[in-house]
């Protein structure tokens, strides 16, 4: 029987002789490559934390001790060691989540996949347990060097450091990367810690030399050791952490399991907050991942495990359209600059960065800083383009509202992965952005329906200098082009089978324009007069939509966003303010968190297919 098959719980792992741990680590890596290559998932991060996760579960007593994984990309090994061995449906309906999940296991604590939150969670758990009198329970936060670039992590450290008796261990999993290489001052500091061995060499030399000095040698060495803080500041700058009041251990080779265990046991017994700095290699043990300079197989689709190559060549995606147009835009507009939060390649800014490196700012996992910095850049006379996943705009809403919109800063926000994303689960669906944007004064939002519109509307957006603009598009292959029949007051008419007055006006938002058109055509086939439109700029609701609604018996709005506070709600309000008593039927995402499944499965569950919209809408007309 394979070793991994015997590990059904952390207790079984602890019972395994230490001599068998290297073989177990090798089995785990083989398992991960074999299984994740069939389903897709976060491969590189998990290959890098095998020994670290083994050590965590051998030293700690989960779930009595809490292990909080920041982001959760690296939780696959944790799943295996807590008895979850069926990866056949990873990230698919009914299968394992791609992140920690409380519904799966009592060993999972935090299932939100937004970065830099683990230290705040751990601080609260540790203090809460102490307050309740739960003695002997430990809390460990595992945070990557990339997630440490997020401001929230440092807010937590600021509070953790002053509590000298808090039983909390912070494991810094330092692989020099988040998606891509970690950059910034903190990254430089960790790099120095990673490469500096001067302190250890200095003490070793001192001990050897002074030991040969009669009588006074030992005393001199103790004195020397007593001023180690000053020496550390000179030859190894871990002083930043210790100056904050945090005990620092490391750096430790994260692939030396006994060394990691030793460091964790020391930290656990210290009796106060400790940082254990662990050096790991993303993609460890799998050469195709190590050779992938872009992101070391951070996330892969279905691949050939022998070569690491995808089985299918992907088509052109929405992000490609933005990527290409940004390069062209940069050539035409020297005032255009770009910002992202540690996701240069995923959001499609790598082309712009290659062409205009001095005009790109990767701020690390710091969306709040990105937006306020962009406001400063706008004040300085530039037009910033801030590109993030739609779900991550949530993190910078205050800055969007108060630093950008209040100051009427001309900033364009490009939101990738908007709407239902599916397999990454509840926290990655970009279903909140239009609801949030809808309450921001002066904000204008465009939802392109195809690649051509991405390009056109991006250029329209950067021409706006007196307030924020938003361009949002979904994950996956770009939609087939939809040519307008005609344009009425800025609104593209995609289908109509009558003159001025119609029974039904269908408003398709962004990528749902094709769905709206199909639904409209089906309803028209039932003998009704129908007009299907794409407003292009959906916030604020334009006069063209209001006037077309005035000539309609009813309006239906189909959108890939929350129904609550979405475009349908905005259209309803705009019609009421115009004195129109036209019924508005809204189709979108309900106000609840969505389980992981394919995008198509989720949309079908929500009734967001053409046939389902028609079946629901027909009886209402």
């Amino acid at each position: 029987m394979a070793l991994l098959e015997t590990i059904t719980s952390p207790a079984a792992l602890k019972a395994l002789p230490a001599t068998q741990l290297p073989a177990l680590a090798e089995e785990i890596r083989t398992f991960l490559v074999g299984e994740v290559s069939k389903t897709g998932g976060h491969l590189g991060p998990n290959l890098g934390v095998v020994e670290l996760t083994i050590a965590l579960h051998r030293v700690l007593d989960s779930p009595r001790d809490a292990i909080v994984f920041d982001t959760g990309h690296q939780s696959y090994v944790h799943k295996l060691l807590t008895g979850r061995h069926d990866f056949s449906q990873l990230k698919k309906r009914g299968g394992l989540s791609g992140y920690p999940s409380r519904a799966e296991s009592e060993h999972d604590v935090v299932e939100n996949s937004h970065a830099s939150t683990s230290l705040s969670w751990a601080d609260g758990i540790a203090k809460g347990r102490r307050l309740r009198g739960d003695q002997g329970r430990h809390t460990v936060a595992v945070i990557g060097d990339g997630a440490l670039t997020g401001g929230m992590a440092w807010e937590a450290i600021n509070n953790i450091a002053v509590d000298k008796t808090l039983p909390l261990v912070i494991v810094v999993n330092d692989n020099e990367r988040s998606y891509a290489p970690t950059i910034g001052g903190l990254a430089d500091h960790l790099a120095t810690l990673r490469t500096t061995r001067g302190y250890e060499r200095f003490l070793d030399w001192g001990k050897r030399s002074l030991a040969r000095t009669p009588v006074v040698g030992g005393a001199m060495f103790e004195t020397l050791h007593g001023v180690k803080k000053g020496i550390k500041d000179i030859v190894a700058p871990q002083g930043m952490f210790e100056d904050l009041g945090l005990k620092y251990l490391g750096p430790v080779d994260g692939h030396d399991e006994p060394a990691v265990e030793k460091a964790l046991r020391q930290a656990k017994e210290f009796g106060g907050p400790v940082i254990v700095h662990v050096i790991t290699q993303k993609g460890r043990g799998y050469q195709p991942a190590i050779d992938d300079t872009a992101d070391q197989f951070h996330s892969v689709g279905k691949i050939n495990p022998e070569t690491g190559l995808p089985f299918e060549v992907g088509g052109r995606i929405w992000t490609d359209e933005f990527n290409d147009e940004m390069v062209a835009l940069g050539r035409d507009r020297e005032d255009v600059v770009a910002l992202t939060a540690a996701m240069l390649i995923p959001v499609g800014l790598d082309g712009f960065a290659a062409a205009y490196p001095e005009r790109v700012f990767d701020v690390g996992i710091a969306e709040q800083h990105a937006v306020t910095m962009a406001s400063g850049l706008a004040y300085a006379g530039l037009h910033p383009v801030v590109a993030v996943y739609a779900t991550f705009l949530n993190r910078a809403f205050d800055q969007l509202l108060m630093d950008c919109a209040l100051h009427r800063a001309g900033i364009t926000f490009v939101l990738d992965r908007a709407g239902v994303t599916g397999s990454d689960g509840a926290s990655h669906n970009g279903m909140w952005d239009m609801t949030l944007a809808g309450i921001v004064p002066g904000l204008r939002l465009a939802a392109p329906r195809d690649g051509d519109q991405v390009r056109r509307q991006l250029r329209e957006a950067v021409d706006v200098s007196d307030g924020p603009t938003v361009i949002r598009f979904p994950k996956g292959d770009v939609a087939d082009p939809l040519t307008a029949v005609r344009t009425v007051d800025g609104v593209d008419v995609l289908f109509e089978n009558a003159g001025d007055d119609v029974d039904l006006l269908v408003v398709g938002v962004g990528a749902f324009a094709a769905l709206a058109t199909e639904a409209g055509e089906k309803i028209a086939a039932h003998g009704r007069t129908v007009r299907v439109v794409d407003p292009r700029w959906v916030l604020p609701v334009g006069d063209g939509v209001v006037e077309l609604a005035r000539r309609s018996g009813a309006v239906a709005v189909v959108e890939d966003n929350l129904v609550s506070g979405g475009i349908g709600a905005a259209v309803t309000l705009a019609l009421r303010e115009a004195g129109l008593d036209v019924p508005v039927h809204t189709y979108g995402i309900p106000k609840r968190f969505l389980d992981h499944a394919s995008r198509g499965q989720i949309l079908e569950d929500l009734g967001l297919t053409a046939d389902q919209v028609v079946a629901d809408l027909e009886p209402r007309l």
Side-chain angles (χ1 to χ4, degrees):
M1 177 182 290
L3 283 174
L4 181 56
E5 293 177 14
T6 69
I7 307 302
T8 56
S9 69
L13 175 66
K14 291 178 182 180
L16 199 68
T19 55
Q20 293 188 294
L21 295 179
L24 175 64
E26 185 176 350
E27 280 190 27
I28 289 173
R29 286 194 170 92
T30 300
F31 176 93
L32 289 174
V33 171
E35 293 300 311
V36 177
S37 66
K38 299 173 187 174
T39 61
H42 290 103
L43 183 56
N46 286 284
L47 293 172
V49 297
V50 174
E51 290 84 2
L52 170 58
T53 312
I54 290 173
L56 283 166
H57 277 293
R58 282 175 66 86
V59 171
L60 299 169
D61 183 21
S62 176
R64 177 173 170 76
D65 295 331
I67 304 175
V68 181
F69 290 96
D70 203 288
T71 310
H73 291 152
Q74 75 287 48
S75 64
Y76 295 0
V77 185
H78 164 75
K79 289 175 186 275
L80 287 171
L81 298 179
T82 52
R84 288 166 278 175
H85 294 178
D86 184 1
F87 274 52
S88 62
Q89 296 296 309
L90 178 68
K91 299 178 66 176
K92 294 180 171 57
R93 169 170 288 168
L96 292 178
S97 167
Y99 300 96
S101 168
R102 290 182 179 180
E104 284 181 12
S105 173
E106 62 181 348
H107 297 281
D108 291 1
V109 178
V110 179
E111 51 193 73
N112 171 19
S113 56
H114 288 192
S116 309
T117 66
S118 63
L119 302 189
S120 297
W121 269 101
D123 189 26
I125 292 168
K127 287 175 178 171
R129 286 177 168 177
R130 184 177 60 186
L131 193 62
R132 290 176 57 85
D134 289 346
Q135 301 298 322
R137 303 181 73 174
H138 294 82
T139 306
V140 176
V142 182
I143 184 168
D145 54 300
L148 268 182
T149 62
M152 189 175 173
W154 289 92
E155 293 175 22
I157 286 176
N158 183 55
N159 283 273
I160 291 167
V162 298
D163 194 334
K164 304 303 182 186
T165 63
L166 188 67
L168 173 60
V169 177
I170 300 170
V171 176
V172 176
N173 173 33
D174 182 2
N175 61 17
E176 306 179 60
R177 310 178 74 90
S178 48
Y179 287 87
T182 307
I183 61 173
L186 175 65
D188 292 344
H189 181 80
L190 289 176
T192 304
L193 290 177
R194 195 181 302 124
T195 57
T196 301
R197 300 286 182 177
Y199 171 64
E200 288 79 3
R201 288 198 300 268
F202 186 83
L203 281 186
D204 287 343
W205 167 84
K207 190 170 185 178
R208 289 194 309 271
S209 300
L210 294 175
R212 295 194 295 268
T213 304
V215 186
V216 297
M220 288 178 64
F221 177 74
E222 292 304 319
T223 301
L224 177 64
H225 200 272
V227 296
K228 64 179 181 179
K229 177 65 171 65
I231 297 169
K232 281 186 180 183
D233 286 343
I234 296 170
V235 298
Q238 56 259 59
M240 181 182 77
F241 294 113
E242 294 193 343
D243 286 346
L244 289 169
L246 292 166
K247 178 67 176 175
Y248 172 91
L249 294 176
V252 180
D253 180 353
H255 303 296
D256 183 345
E257 197 278 337
V260 179
E261 271 200 45
K262 180 181 178 182
L264 290 173
R265 292 188 193 282
Q266 289 175 335
K268 180 180 172 182
E269 295 165 4
F270 180 67
V274 182
I275 284 183
V276 179
H277 182 193
V278 177
I279 311 299
T280 63
Q281 181 186 34
K282 194 173 183 180
R284 177 85 170 189
Y286 186 45
Q287 199 60 42
I290 294 171
D291 293 341
D292 178 28
T293 57
D295 64 5
Q296 293 186 314
F297 281 23
H298 180 85
S299 181
V300 297
K302 295 179 181 180
I303 60 172
N304 183 328
E306 299 298 324
T307 64
L309 297 175
F311 280 116
E312 297 180 0
V313 178
R316 189 166 180 81
I317 63 174
W318 292 87
T319 313
D320 295 332
E321 301 290 341
F322 166 67
N323 197 330
D324 291 349
E325 194 62 22
M326 274 297 290
V327 175
L329 189 58
R331 182 174 58 248
D332 298 340
R333 291 270 302 263
E334 292 185 357
D335 63 323
V336 170
V337 296
L339 298 91
T340 188
M343 298 183 72
L344 192 75
I345 295 173
V347 298
L349 282 178
D350 50 317
F352 189 87
Y356 318 104
E358 74 286 354
R359 289 157 61 186
V360 175
F361 305 95
D362 185 341
V363 301
I365 302 179
E367 291 85 358
Q368 292 174 307
H369 170 60
V371 176
T372 301
M373 178 185 173
S375 300
L377 289 166
Y379 179 75
L382 300 169
H383 190 104
V385 176
V386 178
V388 294
Y389 282 5
T391 183
F392 297 136
L393 182 66
N394 306 356
R395 313 189 74 182
F397 175 73
D398 182 66
Q399 289 69 32
L400 168 62
L401 183 66
M402 294 299 175
D403 293 322
C404 176
L406 178 64
H407 294 85
R408 298 177 181 172
I411 301 172
T412 296
F413 295 86
V414 176
L415 307 184
D416 204 324
R417 272 69 165 177
V420 172
T421 56
S423 60
D424 279 329
S427 62
H428 258 52
N429 288 312
M431 53 194 265
W432 327 98
D433 57 292
M434 291 197 288
T435 296
L436 292 173
I439 64 174
V440 177
L443 181 145
R444 282 156 275 192
L445 186 144
R449 66 178 179 265
D450 55 32
D452 179 64
Q453 291 297 316
V454 170
R455 294 168 178 269
R456 289 178 56 190
Q457 292 186 276
L458 177 62
R459 286 188 174 265
E460 292 169 15
V462 298
D463 281 339
V464 176
S465 60
D466 62 349
T469 53
V470 176
I471 309 289
R472 55 108 68 182
F473 47 79
K475 178 181 180 179
D477 292 346
V478 68
D480 293 332
L482 269 177
T483 303
V485 175
R486 62 191 178 103
T487 299
V488 180
D489 197 10
V491 177
D492 282 354
V493 178
L494 304 179
F495 169 83
E496 57 186 351
N497 66 343
D500 287 344
D501 297 328
V502 293
D503 298 325
L504 175 67
L505 174 70
V506 184
V507 179
V509 177
F512 270 20
L515 187 159
T517 302
E518 183 182 353
E521 290 172 345
K522 288 177 181 291
I523 292 174
H526 295 168
R528 299 190 184 274
T529 53
V530 179
R531 179 174 293 117
V532 181
V533 300
D534 169 18
R536 301 184 70 250
W537 288 87
V538 296
L539 288 175
V541 177
D543 292 341
V545 173
V546 174
E547 291 309 307
L548 288 171
R550 194 183 299 277
R551 302 198 297 269
S552 307
V555 177
V557 180
V558 188
E559 61 187 300
D560 196 2
N561 183 78
L562 287 180
V563 170
S564 178
I567 304 306
V571 168
T572 302
L573 179 61
L575 299 188
R576 299 299 173 264
E577 290 179 341
L580 298 181
D581 189 21
V582 178
V584 179
H585 308 287
T586 57
Y587 297 90
I589 303 170
K591 189 165 57 177
R592 61 181 171 87
F593 294 110
L594 307 177
D595 292 334
H596 64 277
S598 72
R599 185 171 188 269
Q601 288 173 326
I602 292 174
L603 293 179
E604 186 172 1
D605 289 347
L606 300 178
L608 294 176
T609 67
D611 287 340
Q612 289 169 306
V613 169
V614 170
D616 183 84
L617 187 55
E618 265 285 351
R620 300 173 184 268
L621 298 178

